[in-house]
Amino acid sequence: MSSEKVHVEHCKGVNGLDKVILREIRRCSAEVYLYGGQVTSWKNAHGEELLFVSSKASFRPPRAIRGGIPICFPQLKSTGSLEQYGFARNRIWSIDPDPPPSPSDISHKAFVDLILTHSEEDMKIWPHRYDCRLRVALGPTGDLMLTSRIRNTNTDGKSFTFRFAYQTYFFVTDISEVRVEGLETLDYLDNLKNGERFTEQEDAITFESEVDKVYLSTPAKIAILDHERKRTFELRKDGLPDAVVWNPWDKKAKSMADFGDNEYMHMLCVEAACVEEPITLKPGEEWKGRQEISAVPSSYCSEQLDPRRLLLSG
């Protein structure tokens, strides 16, 4: 078996859908379906699954796959005339035949480049030409990196405007024992209160009921602490100023056909997003957004993340 095969494997997944498995030497792995350009698995060196995918997820187009990391483009929620969260997560992506070059300082070999372009069918509902590129890469230590590039390829001189999110479903042991750090004191839009704007008053975000908030102008680094597992997810992002935090809780979970009644206890969505201020591209212009997630022991991450804690202990 060639070294290339060790890192990247093309195969069939659920219901015969095409997928790509990325593997690193230390046994970390990730799986990406061409349907939706969607990451559906991310495992650490111990083989532990770090992303949540519902046991009731439908892997049958045109339904979106519930869990993993859906790509939301070109709209979020009901911010436009399209289906909720746009159409990128309901389309078959292709392996990119002409991907952007890798930066010279990147050494990882486990990556795949995907591309989604306009179709005549899609132009009836969103009349624009575009290239939407996605690179999914697994770093040597198991970090998962997603880089998106969206280019306006309109030939009629028209600009277009879009919103975007990586709707990451993290697997957590017990949602009541989870907290999110890095969003305190920020303004947010509460989707459970018709998008009304508030300021976060808590030192850290914890969960005891349904949450659906869009935090605005967020820092480049956010931490999700799973106390039960003594694990912290660190989310680093670029080009995506906002962060959506979502958990449906029990009542809404029961109303969702592709979501188990009690699965809300084991998941949390923290989405690197561009919500409040949509992105506008003129013909030929390109936008780039990026998310990198890693999982580390909690004690290490808290010290790294919280400068106040360092000052107090210094």
Side-chain angles (χ1 to χ4, degrees):
M1 185 181 277
S2 71
S3 61
E4 187 66 26
K5 278 283 187 186
V6 172
H7 295 291
V8 184
E9 179 189 351
H10 296 255
C11 56
K12 297 290 183 185
V14 181
N15 295 329
L17 294 173
D18 290 314
K19 73 174 180 180
V20 178
I21 302 174
L22 306 177
R23 294 188 182 91
E24 260 302 340
I25 299 299
R26 297 183 190 181
R27 301 173 71 98
C28 310
S29 69
E31 296 186 6
V32 191
Y33 274 75
L34 268 57
Y35 178 60
Q38 188 159 331
V39 177
T40 56
S41 174
W42 172 42
K43 293 180 179 178
N44 63 16
H46 305 293
E48 297 170 325
E49 182 58 66
L50 302 172
L51 296 178
F52 167 86
V53 174
S54 173
S55 62
K56 293 189 172 183
S58 169
F59 285 78
R60 296 187 185 280
R63 292 198 67 168
I65 300 168
R66 172 71 68 186
I69 311 180
I71 303 290
C72 301
F73 166 83
Q75 84 172 37
L76 301 181
K77 290 282 191 178
S78 50
T79 54
S81 58
L82 304 174
E83 59 197 271
Q84 191 168 332
Y85 299 110
F87 48 70
R89 64 186 194 147
N90 307 93
R91 299 294 182 267
I92 304 283
W93 294 51
S94 304
I95 301 294
D96 192 347
D98 186 26
S102 296
S104 56
D105 61 338
I106 297 296
S107 61
H108 54 249
K109 299 184 179 71
F111 66 90
V112 63
D113 287 289
L114 304 179
I115 186 168
L116 179 70
T117 57
H118 57 273
S119 67
E120 295 308 313
E121 203 61 34
D122 286 342
M123 287 190 70
K124 293 174 186 173
I125 57 171
W126 200 65
H128 301 292
R129 296 173 182 272
Y130 64 89
D131 288 342
C132 183
R133 286 185 155 88
L134 171 68
R135 170 169 288 189
V136 180
L138 194 62
T141 58
D143 294 6
L144 184 65
M145 292 153 277
L146 282 75
T147 306
S148 290
R149 299 168 185 266
I150 296 170
R151 180 178 291 275
N152 181 339
T153 59
N154 276 336
T155 54
D156 58 7
K158 287 183 181 173
S159 299
F160 64 65
T161 297
F162 66 93
R163 289 178 169 88
F164 185 95
Y166 294 122
Q167 193 179 22
T168 306
Y169 286 73
F170 291 97
F171 174 80
V172 298
T173 318
D174 177 355
I175 187 64
S176 65
E177 296 289 324
V178 169
R179 79 173 196 261
V180 177
E181 293 183 355
L183 303 176
E184 51 278 359
T185 75
L186 298 180
D187 282 5
Y188 65 87
L189 309 177
D190 193 335
N191 287 325
L192 301 180
K193 297 181 179 176
N194 299 315
E196 197 176 334
R197 192 179 186 119
F198 298 91
T199 301
E200 183 58 63
Q201 304 294 334
E202 302 299 325
D203 288 340
I205 300 159
T206 55
F207 302 91
E208 51 193 30
S209 60
E210 183 182 354
V211 174
D212 189 354
K213 296 176 178 178
V214 182
Y215 288 85
L216 308 172
S217 303
T218 58
K221 192 186 289 187
I222 299 167
I224 300 104
L225 286 75
D226 183 342
H227 292 296
E228 194 87 3
R229 192 61 60 94
K230 294 184 171 56
R231 173 191 291 147
T232 294
F233 295 107
E234 197 176 90
L235 185 156
R236 295 174 292 281
K237 58 191 179 62
D238 186 45
L240 295 158
D242 306 320
V244 181
V245 177
W246 177 71
N247 182 292
W249 219 250
D250 54 348
K251 192 175 177 184
K252 183 162 283 183
K254 287 184 172 72
S255 72
M256 292 156 54
D258 59 351
F259 196 93
D261 288 357
N262 295 314
E263 287 185 330
Y264 73 93
M265 296 171 66
H266 305 298
M267 57 74 63
L268 178 65
C269 272
V270 179
E271 311 167 25
C274 183
V275 182
E276 188 181 34
E277 294 289 336
I279 299 148
T280 299
L281 294 179
K282 296 174 183 171
E285 286 185 338
E286 182 181 84
W287 167 85
K288 181 181 175 183
R290 189 170 179 277
Q291 166 180 293
E292 181 174 344
I293 50 179
S294 54
V296 297
S298 288
S299 55
Y300 165 82
C301 195
S302 293
E303 288 168 13
Q304 294 291 308
L305 230 113
D306 191 344
R308 293 167 300 177
R309 201 164 292 163
L310 283 179
L311 288 171
L312 288 169
S313 62

